[in-house]
Amino acid sequence: MNDASAWQMTVEGFVHALSAAFPGVSTKYRTSSLRGNSVVDFEVEVQPGSWVEGVATTPVENSAVITVVGATVAEGAYFALWLRGGLAPRPDLVRFSNERALEGGDDSEWAIPAGGGFEKVEAVLAEHMKAADGA
């Protein structure tokens, strides 16, 4: 089921959940220049020594867009696992894409597996990156 509004997402709610899950999180609120809505830049340590930077916004009421910047596949997998288990109202609602795919004209979204651990999520992210590279 693709029910983005099921997230009931707010930027403030995202920051609260992020802060509860990741001690030492760094956040900075700003206003989007495109739509004028609230945006938060964040940086979290997903594993010892592995940091993820990103941006979260709610372009459509109750729906989240969370962009992770410059992460490795492993870092993205750790963050996706947190989203799936720590924020998403249902594990089947976490979807992703990447910049290379979008630049290549592929605007499809891939689903994070609704079950399974790190290795399973990492494998799906790696497969997506490989597909985006045209390999």
Side-chain angles (χ1 to χ4, degrees):
M1 175 183 243
N2 187 12
D3 186 6
S5 66
W7 285 73
Q8 297 296 303
M9 176 72 169
T10 65
V11 171
E12 294 78 12
F14 174 75
V15 169
H16 177 75
L18 200 63
S19 298
F22 299 101
V25 62
S26 171
T27 60
K28 181 180 178 186
Y29 287 95
R30 61 185 171 86
T31 302
S32 168
S33 59
L34 296 176
R35 293 202 169 117
N37 55 335
S38 199
V39 174
V40 67
D41 298 313
F42 64 89
E43 184 177 14
V44 298
E45 187 175 26
V46 292
Q47 290 287 293
S50 292
W51 291 83
V52 170
E53 294 180 41
V55 179
T57 187
T58 54
V60 177
E61 188 175 349
N62 298 324
S63 177
V65 172
I66 301 165
T67 305
V68 174
V69 181
T72 65
V73 171
E75 291 164 343
Y78 284 120
F79 193 73
L81 281 169
W82 171 72
L83 283 173
R84 185 185 77 186
L87 187 63
R90 292 192 329 256
D92 64 316
L93 290 178
V94 181
R95 307 264 188 259
F96 70 96
S97 187
N98 74 59
E99 188 172 13
R100 280 184 268 186
L102 295 170
E103 287 174 352
D106 179 0
D107 62 356
S108 63
E109 296 176 339
W110 287 43
I112 295 295
F118 172 78
E119 291 80 16
K120 188 171 185 177
V121 172
E122 183 183 41
V124 169
L125 291 175
E127 181 182 339
H128 177 68
M129 292 298 291
K130 193 174 181 180
D133 287 340

